[in-house]
Amino acid sequence: PFCSLLSPSTTTMLYGTSTESPEKSETALDNDAETNMVVNNILNEMQHATKSSFEWSESFGLNGEEAAFYALFSSIRSLSNDVLGINGKPFYLAQDQIVKAIKKGSGEESASTIAGYFTFDDLAKALEEDFLDADRGSTDNKKGWKVTAVSTPRGSSFEDARMTLEEVEAALSKGTVIFSAIGAHVPKLARATLACTDASALPNALNMYVTAAGKRTSAPPHTDRQDVIVAQTQGRKHWRVYSPPDPTLRPQADAFARGKGDDNLPLHQLENMGCKLLVDAVLNPGDVLFIPAGFPHTTDTIASSSEEEKEDTSIHLTFNFDSHVWDLDYLSVRRLALRRACVKDEALGVGTDDNRYVGKANLLPSNVRNELFHALPLGLLDDLLDEATRSTLMEEALSEVQRISMAVDESTASAVDANVWKETLEQVQKQGMELFDVHRDMYLAAIEEGRLREQEAAMTSHLEKEARRITMTPERMQRLSLFRVRSFYERISEAKKLLVDWSYEGVAQTSGEGGEGGNSNDLPENWAF
């Protein structure tokens, strides 16, 4: 839901047309007062965060674009209780609103925009400079979203194994090309991903989606485990966002992975599942869309402008608030505490190898389920906060997890000693802070690699174009992102394993419980996607 601040009386706008607000003519959304208040609050928070955002950007030698991203993510953090998760609110921000807020906050006459931050030319350059990987998404809006690899090795040499621009272009004719966790690989995108991570004080990631114009379905209806911030940087994309489906209709379905793999979430059946259309918007370059975790959404790139006007390839960046990925929610804390205390989960009946977001948890009263699935307070991992503030956040989170657990099942929750609840939350915080540091280090390493490449390019700028072609020497090859990120991914897996091992220290280890493989808290191979 978004209502143009220039025409607050408008309640419905037809997709592609509007006589009251032509500059917002391609935004058609449900208009309710609560969401309008969220939008106003987000813009106000952005304005207030602008000066500190520029200070942050300058401290890393970054630009106004990254400062704008930082201000955006800071504003979402400030209103996280209102917008994140199953109880959250999707919202849309047009480029001119963002620019206006930044200009007001900085006191300057101009402001950097997100539009053009990353283009197809930037992608071509990244493919030339590095060894990247990507998948192509399916386009059947009646079936679950599945992916296939864009590139397969053409031979045994390094160059034969590298994905080419031609392969990406060929894949675009069949569907959306997905670059998962690309913020760790491409230096320019690492800058914006660092802004997301630092502003939210979360270990976050960035995916990029590239779609040719004219695709009737670029992503079938699906939900995500992350709260996502979509930033359109090139071309246009049409988005529809729905309220979450009724979990009692399919309690064995993962609320945060509906419409993926073998789980079908057909567009024509969404209303029968209790879903309400909340957002119907075309994102132009510089526009932003926020989608809470668990909210179904689908996209297309069908042109609504003049047929004579050639549409650019659509590129959008999806910044992920990864609370649920890293056990930073109340359901995860409860599960770890029960395991640590050797208390069987009689209420939810979740086994050691089961997905915690399926089964009896989806049959709880909606208010209890939504609270249980909610993320821990943002700021819990922020070591820049003063000790008193962090202590207050911990006390609030501890009180909340015990209260919610009592609402789930009083006898189970009462069987867990108060010290175990506290220790568990402290261990989750410890793991989260380690993951936060790993992500920051990973993005800073990518940024540093980008500066080194710029220096190398400057030294050859006087040469003919052919002579400036990048030569993959053994030294440069070792600096490629697939080698650079490996040590960081190992640290991520180790941090996850340490938390699992800790939770099992209160019970006798048996085969399949906390040992080699099989545990649902282990990172799946496709965790980034």
Side-chain angles (χ1 to χ4, degrees), residues 217-433:
T217 299
S218 51
H222 67 280
T223 65
D224 291 318
R225 198 170 297 280
Q226 303 90 343
D227 298 277
V228 301
I229 302 96
V230 175
Q232 190 75 22
T233 62
Q234 178 182 290
R236 306 192 307 158
K237 182 163 282 188
H238 174 212
W239 290 76
R240 282 170 285 180
V241 182
Y242 297 80
S243 60
D246 181 351
T248 64
L249 298 177
R250 285 202 62 195
Q252 292 304 319
D254 185 342
F256 298 124
R258 296 300 316 270
K260 290 183 176 178
D262 294 326
D263 181 70
N264 299 330
L265 198 65
L267 180 62
H268 65 280
Q269 291 186 12
L270 286 178
E271 290 188 4
N272 296 332
M273 300 179 184
C275 300
K276 176 186 176 184
L277 180 62
L278 301 177
V279 175
D280 190 352
V282 172
L283 264 63
N284 292 289
D287 293 349
V288 168
L289 177 65
F290 175 80
I291 306 173
F295 279 57
H297 48 280
T298 183
T299 60
D300 64 71
T301 54
I302 297 297
S304 61
S305 58
S306 170
E307 293 297 329
E308 298 178 0
E309 181 182 342
K310 187 178 184 300
E311 290 276 342
D312 288 332
T313 297
S314 168
I315 295 180
H316 77 261
L317 310 177
T318 294
F319 297 89
N320 304 318
F321 275 30
D322 283 330
S323 302
H324 303 295
V325 173
W326 306 123
D327 301 319
L328 296 168
D329 59 34
Y330 291 106
L331 176 59
S332 300
V333 175
R334 175 186 178 275
R335 188 182 194 188
L336 290 165
L338 293 182
R339 185 187 296 161
R340 175 74 175 181
C342 313
V343 175
K344 186 177 180 180
D345 193 350
E346 299 286 358
L348 303 185
V350 178
T352 57
D353 297 333
D354 296 336
N355 182 337
R356 60 190 178 277
Y357 300 109
V358 303
K360 292 181 180 179
N362 288 318
L363 298 176
L364 291 169
S366 60
N367 63 316
V368 176
R369 172 184 177 269
N370 293 348
E371 289 180 337
L372 188 64
F373 283 19
H374 202 277
L376 297 175
L378 294 188
L380 205 62
L381 313 182
D382 192 348
D383 59 4
L384 297 180
L385 293 178
D386 61 82
E387 189 61 35
T389 302
R390 288 182 63 195
S391 179
T392 299
L393 284 174
M394 281 292 287
E395 290 172 3
E396 291 175 351
L398 179 59
S399 174
E400 194 71 351
V401 70
Q402 291 177 286
R403 181 189 66 79
I404 295 169
S405 298
M406 291 289 284
V408 172
D409 178 52
E410 187 172 341
S411 61
T412 301
S414 299
V416 179
D417 187 83
N419 287 332
V420 174
W421 288 114
K422 183 174 184 293
E423 291 171 2
T424 303
L425 189 58
E426 289 172 345
Q427 286 295 321
V428 169
Q429 181 192 44
K430 179 181 177 181
Q431 177 203 241
M433 293 178 73

Side-chain angles (χ1 to χ4, degrees), residues 31-106:
N31 170 20
D32 65 64
E34 185 179 349
T35 304
N36 292 335
M37 184 181 298
V38 168
V39 169
N40 282 325
N41 289 341
I42 287 286
L43 293 171
N44 287 334
E45 291 293 336
M46 282 191 70
Q47 180 180 330
H48 295 149
T50 296
K51 289 186 177 179
S52 61
S53 299
F54 275 98
E55 291 172 359
W56 173 88
S57 179
E58 290 169 3
S59 71
F60 289 101
L62 304 180
N63 301 322
E65 292 91 340
E66 287 82 32
F69 277 123
Y70 190 94
L72 171 65
F73 302 133
S74 294
S75 68
I76 294 173
R77 171 177 170 174
S78 298
L79 297 171
S80 57
N81 286 336
D82 297 326
V83 299
L84 298 187
I86 298 292
N87 275 334
K89 275 281 186 182
F91 62 83
Y92 165 94
L93 299 174
Q95 175 182 244
D96 59 348
Q97 293 177 297
I98 297 172
V99 169
K100 185 177 180 180
I102 297 295
K103 286 164 67 173
K104 278 188 175 181
S106 66

